Amino acid sequence: MWTSRFRQQCLSADVHVHDNERCYICSNPVEFDRTSWCIVVAAPTCPYRRRIDKEMEGPSSRGSMPGYGLLAVVVIVSLLAGSGADAQLWPEFYATSCPKLQGVVRSVMAQAVRRDPRMGASILRLFFHDCFVNGCDASVLLDDTPTMAGEKNSGGNANSLLGYEVIDAIKARVEATCRSTVSCADILALAARDAVNLLGGPAWTVPLGRRDARWASMAAANANLPPASAGIDDLVARFAAKGLSLRDLTALSGAHTVGAAKCSKFRRHVYNDSNVDPAFAMFRRRICPAAGGDARLAPLDSTSPNRFDVSYYRDLMARRGLLHSDQELFNNGPADELVRLYGANGNAFDRDFAAAMVKMGGISPLTGGAGEIRINCRKSN
């Protein structure tokens, strides 16, 4: 932990205050966490980097991070350096105000995934669709009102997004424990992490402190969510606009190792595209006729649809991606080598997926006095 002398030296840097404790953000940034472990994310330009590194030498308390081990440390260390927004979020935000929060979220998610493993994929998709539209602010959870056309009925979400009732159940349990304290946005971020882990995927430490939007926009959802028909250049541009790299895009697309898609989303791919394995296309056409049957479902990963693993990437290499946008990741393009890497190395995928989830979770959060803490996730207070 930093000494008083070192803290004094950083007074010229930006200072973030939470619960009357000062967390010093030093040169893009270095963040100090007041708990028993430190998040040190010193950019090369930080004038205090050597002193910080020296301060962190000696006995490490990283093992005291609850439940998630070295991967969580590496993810936080690497990701907080990349986003100014993340400097306003930190894992121990509710350590005193709602210490049972993560246990409550995990318990409800475990019940939901046990009842229906597909719910894990649904919650993960909710989080993605939230963050990609005006940032991770739980706007996707807001119902329409007479004066607001929200995100739920946008082209990419209508009759498609599921899991709202699970977030409602978590929120009700959290409110019973810590009233008016925890945002719906943070609940969704934690639920998405637990969804992945409960399906056999990695875990990571989730930076917290988001607040909830008071409004939602159907137009913004229609403009920002990548369609299933998107090509690789479009995907790269859409992710870059959110501060996400090609590596992030390729890793986050691995979320399609679980879940399902409607016939209307993959019909054109299996009937018209040339980069599809013929036997796979024929098999999917049995589920999805050339006309009609739009709501029929097929698993995004036919090998292990309820297991968070790397079979999605192996399917892409075999030309068995269900969506056009999926197969675009392995189509003699810039993501081919990453697909090969993840298909062969599950540890690399776990690491990069967790890192990308933290990075995505830092897209334009509402913090401080912005937004609100909703009592009901479906409507503003």
Side-chain angles (χ1 to χ4, degrees):
M1 298 174 71
W2 294 0
T3 63
S4 297
R5 173 180 56 78
F6 179 79
R7 290 189 181 194
Q8 193 67 33
Q9 288 174 322
C10 266
L11 283 177
S12 61
D14 294 334
V15 178
H16 168 60
V17 179
H18 176 70
D19 286 349
N20 298 316
E21 295 283 347
R22 292 190 174 192
C23 304
Y24 293 89
I25 314 301
C26 174
S27 183
N28 230 11
V30 174
E31 184 167 353
F32 173 76
D33 178 342
R34 65 187 175 90
T35 62
S36 60
W37 49 281
C38 291
I39 301 169
V40 178
V41 200
T45 56
C46 178
Y48 304 115
R49 179 167 186 169
R50 290 186 179 179
R51 289 190 180 131
I52 295 166
D53 291 344
K54 186 173 182 180
E55 188 72 23
M56 290 301 293
E57 289 175 359
S60 170
S61 58
R62 286 177 178 174
S64 66
M65 291 178 66
Y68 302 109
L70 181 59
L71 173 62
V73 177
V74 172
V75 167
I76 293 296
V77 167
S78 62
L79 265 296
L80 283 176
S83 169
D86 283 326
Q88 303 172 53
L89 306 176
W90 60 306
E92 297 297 311
F93 189 87
Y94 300 107
T96 56
S97 59
C98 195
K100 296 182 179 179
L101 168 63
Q102 301 209 29
V104 170
V105 175
R106 180 79 176 193
S107 174
V108 177
M109 281 302 302
Q111 293 173 12
V113 172
R114 190 160 48 244
R115 284 194 301 268
D116 183 358
R118 293 176 300 177
M119 189 52 63
S122 297
I123 296 298
L124 180 55
R125 188 162 179 255
L126 264 181
F127 183 57
F128 177 89
H129 283 224
D130 182 42
C131 291
F132 254 62
V133 182
N134 296 323
C136 307
D137 59 5
S139 56
V140 73
L141 304 177
L142 287 170
D143 289 338
D144 287 0
T145 71
T147 59
M148 183 191 75
E151 297 167 29
K152 288 186 174 181
N153 290 309
S154 66
N157 293 340
N159 302 312
S160 175
L161 284 186
L162 302 172
Y164 299 113
E165 70 284 355
V166 175
I167 301 302
D168 291 341
I170 296 173
K171 180 63 170 174
R173 288 272 304 274
V174 170
E175 284 295 308
T177 304
C178 322
R179 183 161 179 79
S180 303
T181 300
V182 181
S183 68
C184 300
D186 278 342
I187 286 173
L188 184 53
L190 289 168
R193 185 271 311 276
D194 288 346
V196 171
N197 188 237
L198 287 163
L199 293 173
W204 56 92
T205 298
V206 179
L208 301 167
R210 301 167 188 81
R211 289 169 65 84
D212 298 324
R214 294 187 172 94
W215 63 279
S217 168
M218 179 185 292
N222 286 332
N224 284 275
L225 294 174
S229 59
I232 187 64
D233 291 341
D234 185 23
L235 291 169
V236 169
R238 287 174 182 268
F239 276 67
K242 306 299 179 184
L244 299 171
S245 67
L246 176 66
R247 182 175 291 267
D248 299 324
L249 159 63
T250 310
L252 289 170
S253 296
H256 285 180
T257 189
V258 291
K262 291 183 177 180
C263 167
S264 59
K265 301 297 184 182
F266 64 85
R267 175 185 286 117
R268 185 173 299 177
H269 179 53
V270 299
Y271 278 90
N272 298 336
D273 287 350
S274 60
N275 60 344
V276 188
D277 174 69
F280 175 78
M282 185 64 66
F283 180 60
R284 286 292 168 247
R285 289 172 189 170
R286 294 175 186 171
I287 297 172
C288 182
D294 284 4
R296 294 183 183 179
L297 294 173
L300 288 160
D301 172 357
S302 58
T303 305
S304 52
N306 295 323
R307 180 77 181 171
F308 203 93
D309 56 22
V310 298
S311 55
Y312 164 80
Y313 297 104
R314 294 169 182 170
D315 283 344
L316 295 186
M317 288 187 285
R319 309 286 182 189
R320 293 196 298 264
L322 183 65
L323 305 178
H324 175 85
S325 56
D326 285 333
Q327 195 59 61
E328 281 288 288
L329 296 176
F330 192 83
N331 192 33
N332 298 315
D336 284 14
E337 287 307 309
L338 286 167
V339 171
R340 291 189 183 97
L341 170 65
Y342 299 150
N345 189 333
N347 289 333
F349 169 57
D350 285 352
R351 179 197 65 225
D352 287 357
F353 181 84
M357 285 292 287
V358 174
K359 193 172 178 182
M360 184 176 72
I363 297 175
S364 303
L366 299 174
T367 59
E372 64 182 2
I373 303 297
R374 281 185 228 142
I375 305 302
N376 181 338
C377 290
R378 293 175 181 259
K379 61 182 182 180
S380 58
N381 294 339

PDB file of all heavy atoms in Angstrom, residues 125-140:
ATOM      1  N   ARG A 125     -26.129 -11.224 -22.833  1.00  0.00           N
ATOM      2  CA  ARG A 125     -26.556 -10.421 -23.983  1.00  0.00           C
ATOM      3  C   ARG A 125     -27.179  -9.106 -23.520  1.00  0.00           C
ATOM      4  O   ARG A 125     -26.975  -8.051 -24.143  1.00  0.00           O
ATOM      5  CB  ARG A 125     -27.546 -11.226 -24.821  1.00  0.00           C
ATOM      6  CG  ARG A 125     -27.926 -10.581 -26.142  1.00  0.00           C
ATOM      7  CD  ARG A 125     -28.534 -11.609 -27.088  1.00  0.00           C
ATOM      8  NE  ARG A 125     -28.915 -10.996 -28.358  1.00  0.00           N
ATOM      9  CZ  ARG A 125     -30.163 -10.722 -28.707  1.00  0.00           C
ATOM     10  NH1 ARG A 125     -31.167 -11.034 -27.886  1.00  0.00           N
ATOM     11  NH2 ARG A 125     -30.429 -10.172 -29.871  1.00  0.00           N
ATOM     12  N   LEU A 126     -27.928  -9.143 -22.423  1.00  0.00           N
ATOM     13  CA  LEU A 126     -28.496  -7.911 -21.866  1.00  0.00           C
ATOM     14  C   LEU A 126     -27.402  -6.900 -21.550  1.00  0.00           C
ATOM     15  O   LEU A 126     -27.528  -5.704 -21.833  1.00  0.00           O
ATOM     16  CB  LEU A 126     -29.276  -8.219 -20.586  1.00  0.00           C
ATOM     17  CG  LEU A 126     -30.777  -8.432 -20.639  1.00  0.00           C
ATOM     18  CD1 LEU A 126     -31.311  -8.691 -19.245  1.00  0.00           C
ATOM     19  CD2 LEU A 126     -31.491  -7.226 -21.266  1.00  0.00           C
ATOM     20  N   PHE A 127     -26.326  -7.388 -20.939  1.00  0.00           N
ATOM     21  CA  PHE A 127     -25.234  -6.502 -20.562  1.00  0.00           C
ATOM     22  C   PHE A 127     -24.581  -5.891 -21.809  1.00  0.00           C
ATOM     23  O   PHE A 127     -24.317  -4.681 -21.862  1.00  0.00           O
ATOM     24  CB  PHE A 127     -24.202  -7.277 -19.741  1.00  0.00           C
ATOM     25  CG  PHE A 127     -23.062  -6.442 -19.229  1.00  0.00           C
ATOM     26  CD1 PHE A 127     -23.292  -5.326 -18.442  1.00  0.00           C
ATOM     27  CD2 PHE A 127     -21.750  -6.777 -19.528  1.00  0.00           C
ATOM     28  CE1 PHE A 127     -22.243  -4.558 -17.955  1.00  0.00           C
ATOM     29  CE2 PHE A 127     -20.683  -6.023 -19.052  1.00  0.00           C
ATOM     30  CZ  PHE A 127     -20.935  -4.903 -18.262  1.00  0.00           C
ATOM     31  N   PHE A 128     -24.314  -6.704 -22.807  1.00  0.00           N
ATOM     32  CA  PHE A 128     -23.734  -6.204 -24.053  1.00  0.00           C
ATOM     33  C   PHE A 128     -24.637  -5.151 -24.678  1.00  0.00           C
ATOM     34  O   PHE A 128     -24.182  -4.066 -25.072  1.00  0.00           O
ATOM     35  CB  PHE A 128     -23.501  -7.360 -25.024  1.00  0.00           C
ATOM     36  CG  PHE A 128     -22.979  -6.931 -26.365  1.00  0.00           C
ATOM     37  CD1 PHE A 128     -21.612  -6.824 -26.589  1.00  0.00           C
ATOM     38  CD2 PHE A 128     -23.845  -6.622 -27.408  1.00  0.00           C
ATOM     39  CE1 PHE A 128     -21.124  -6.410 -27.827  1.00  0.00           C
ATOM     40  CE2 PHE A 128     -23.371  -6.216 -28.648  1.00  0.00           C
ATOM     41  CZ  PHE A 128     -22.003  -6.111 -28.849  1.00  0.00           C
ATOM     42  N   HIS A 129     -25.921  -5.445 -24.795  1.00  0.00           N
ATOM     43  CA  HIS A 129     -26.846  -4.518 -25.435  1.00  0.00           C
ATOM     44  C   HIS A 129     -27.037  -3.257 -24.607  1.00  0.00           C
ATOM     45  O   HIS A 129     -27.367  -2.194 -25.157  1.00  0.00           O
ATOM     46  CB  HIS A 129     -28.189  -5.204 -25.701  1.00  0.00           C
ATOM     47  CG  HIS A 129     -28.150  -6.112 -26.888  1.00  0.00           C
ATOM     48  ND1 HIS A 129     -29.147  -6.157 -27.839  1.00  0.00           N
ATOM     49  CD2 HIS A 129     -27.225  -7.021 -27.294  1.00  0.00           C
ATOM     50  CE1 HIS A 129     -28.835  -7.050 -28.774  1.00  0.00           C
ATOM     51  NE2 HIS A 129     -27.680  -7.587 -28.453  1.00  0.00           N
ATOM     52  N   ASP A 130     -26.844  -3.343 -23.310  1.00  0.00           N
ATOM     53  CA  ASP A 130     -26.894  -2.135 -22.478  1.00  0.00           C
ATOM     54  C   ASP A 130     -25.678  -1.256 -22.749  1.00  0.00           C
ATOM     55  O   ASP A 130     -25.798  -0.069 -23.048  1.00  0.00           O
ATOM     56  CB  ASP A 130     -26.945  -2.515 -21.003  1.00  0.00           C
ATOM     57  CG  ASP A 130     -27.036  -1.296 -20.098  1.00  0.00           C
ATOM     58  OD1 ASP A 130     -27.796  -0.368 -20.439  1.00  0.00           O
ATOM     59  OD2 ASP A 130     -26.354  -1.264 -19.065  1.00  0.00           O
ATOM     60  N   CYS A 131     -24.495  -1.836 -22.658  1.00  0.00           N
ATOM     61  CA  CYS A 131     -23.264  -1.048 -22.756  1.00  0.00           C
ATOM     62  C   CYS A 131     -23.079  -0.414 -24.128  1.00  0.00           C
ATOM     63  O   CYS A 131     -22.491   0.670 -24.241  1.00  0.00           O
ATOM     64  CB  CYS A 131     -22.057  -1.917 -22.417  1.00  0.00           C
ATOM     65  SG  CYS A 131     -21.967  -2.401 -20.676  1.00  0.00           S
ATOM     66  N   PHE A 132     -23.551  -1.054 -25.171  1.00  0.00           N
ATOM     67  CA  PHE A 132     -23.329  -0.542 -26.515  1.00  0.00           C
ATOM     68  C   PHE A 132     -24.261   0.617 -26.876  1.00  0.00           C
ATOM     69  O   PHE A 132     -24.091   1.243 -27.921  1.00  0.00           O
ATOM     70  CB  PHE A 132     -23.450  -1.664 -27.544  1.00  0.00           C
ATOM     71  CG  PHE A 132     -22.129  -2.085 -28.101  1.00  0.00           C
ATOM     72  CD1 PHE A 132     -21.155  -2.617 -27.285  1.00  0.00           C
ATOM     73  CD2 PHE A 132     -21.836  -1.931 -29.453  1.00  0.00           C
ATOM     74  CE1 PHE A 132     -19.914  -2.992 -27.782  1.00  0.00           C
ATOM     75  CE2 PHE A 132     -20.607  -2.305 -29.966  1.00  0.00           C
ATOM     76  CZ  PHE A 132     -19.635  -2.832 -29.131  1.00  0.00           C
ATOM     77  N   VAL A 133     -25.227   0.907 -26.029  1.00  0.00           N
ATOM     78  CA  VAL A 133     -26.164   1.995 -26.303  1.00  0.00           C
ATOM     79  C   VAL A 133     -26.064   3.019 -25.175  1.00  0.00           C
ATOM     80  O   VAL A 133     -26.567   2.800 -24.072  1.00  0.00           O
ATOM     81  CB  VAL A 133     -27.608   1.468 -26.430  1.00  0.00           C
ATOM     82  CG1 VAL A 133     -28.566   2.613 -26.775  1.00  0.00           C
ATOM     83  CG2 VAL A 133     -27.698   0.369 -27.487  1.00  0.00           C
ATOM     84  N   ASN A 134     -25.370   4.075 -25.411  1.00  0.00           N
ATOM     85  CA  ASN A 134     -25.195   5.155 -24.429  1.00  0.00           C
ATOM     86  C   ASN A 134     -24.475   4.714 -23.159  1.00  0.00           C
ATOM     87  O   ASN A 134     -24.617   5.342 -22.109  1.00  0.00           O
ATOM     88  CB  ASN A 134     -26.553   5.793 -24.073  1.00  0.00           C
ATOM     89  CG  ASN A 134     -27.193   6.480 -25.268  1.00  0.00           C
ATOM     90  OD1 ASN A 134     -26.501   7.083 -26.083  1.00  0.00           O
ATOM     91  ND2 ASN A 134     -28.503   6.358 -25.387  1.00  0.00           N
ATOM     92  N   GLY A 135     -23.705   3.638 -23.228  1.00  0.00           N
ATOM     93  CA  GLY A 135     -22.902   3.218 -22.091  1.00  0.00           C
ATOM     94  C   GLY A 135     -23.627   2.280 -21.147  1.00  0.00           C
ATOM     95  O   GLY A 135     -24.824   1.998 -21.288  1.00  0.00           O
ATOM     96  N   CYS A 136     -22.887   1.777 -20.154  1.00  0.00           N
ATOM     97  CA  CYS A 136     -23.409   0.777 -19.212  1.00  0.00           C
ATOM     98  C   CYS A 136     -24.200   1.472 -18.109  1.00  0.00           C
ATOM     99  O   CYS A 136     -23.706   1.719 -17.002  1.00  0.00           O
ATOM    100  CB  CYS A 136     -22.256  -0.028 -18.619  1.00  0.00           C
ATOM    101  SG  CYS A 136     -21.151  -0.757 -19.846  1.00  0.00           S
ATOM    102  N   ASP A 137     -25.457   1.784 -18.420  1.00  0.00           N
ATOM    103  CA  ASP A 137     -26.279   2.597 -17.523  1.00  0.00           C
ATOM    104  C   ASP A 137     -27.644   1.993 -17.221  1.00  0.00           C
ATOM    105  O   ASP A 137     -28.521   2.661 -16.686  1.00  0.00           O
ATOM    106  CB  ASP A 137     -26.458   3.999 -18.106  1.00  0.00           C
ATOM    107  CG  ASP A 137     -27.124   3.976 -19.491  1.00  0.00           C
ATOM    108  OD1 ASP A 137     -27.528   2.883 -19.956  1.00  0.00           O
ATOM    109  OD2 ASP A 137     -27.240   5.057 -20.109  1.00  0.00           O
ATOM    110  N   ALA A 138     -27.826   0.719 -17.571  1.00  0.00           N
ATOM    111  CA  ALA A 138     -29.090   0.004 -17.340  1.00  0.00           C
ATOM    112  C   ALA A 138     -30.264   0.608 -18.096  1.00  0.00           C
ATOM    113  O   ALA A 138     -31.418   0.330 -17.780  1.00  0.00           O
ATOM    114  CB  ALA A 138     -29.411  -0.080 -15.844  1.00  0.00           C
ATOM    115  N   SER A 139     -30.001   1.413 -19.127  1.00  0.00           N
ATOM    116  CA  SER A 139     -31.099   1.971 -19.914  1.00  0.00           C
ATOM    117  C   SER A 139     -31.872   0.884 -20.643  1.00  0.00           C
ATOM    118  O   SER A 139     -33.067   1.039 -20.915  1.00  0.00           O
ATOM    119  CB  SER A 139     -30.567   3.010 -20.906  1.00  0.00           C
ATOM    120  OG  SER A 139     -29.567   2.455 -21.738  1.00  0.00           O
ATOM    121  N   VAL A 140     -31.219  -0.242 -20.949  1.00  0.00           N
ATOM    122  CA  VAL A 140     -31.889  -1.329 -21.645  1.00  0.00           C
ATOM    123  C   VAL A 140     -33.007  -1.941 -20.811  1.00  0.00           C
ATOM    124  O   VAL A 140     -33.914  -2.593 -21.349  1.00  0.00           O
ATOM    125  CB  VAL A 140     -30.867  -2.414 -22.050  1.00  0.00           C
ATOM    126  CG1 VAL A 140     -30.402  -3.215 -20.838  1.00  0.00           C
ATOM    127  CG2 VAL A 140     -31.431  -3.349 -23.118  1.00  0.00           C
TER     128      VAL A 140
END
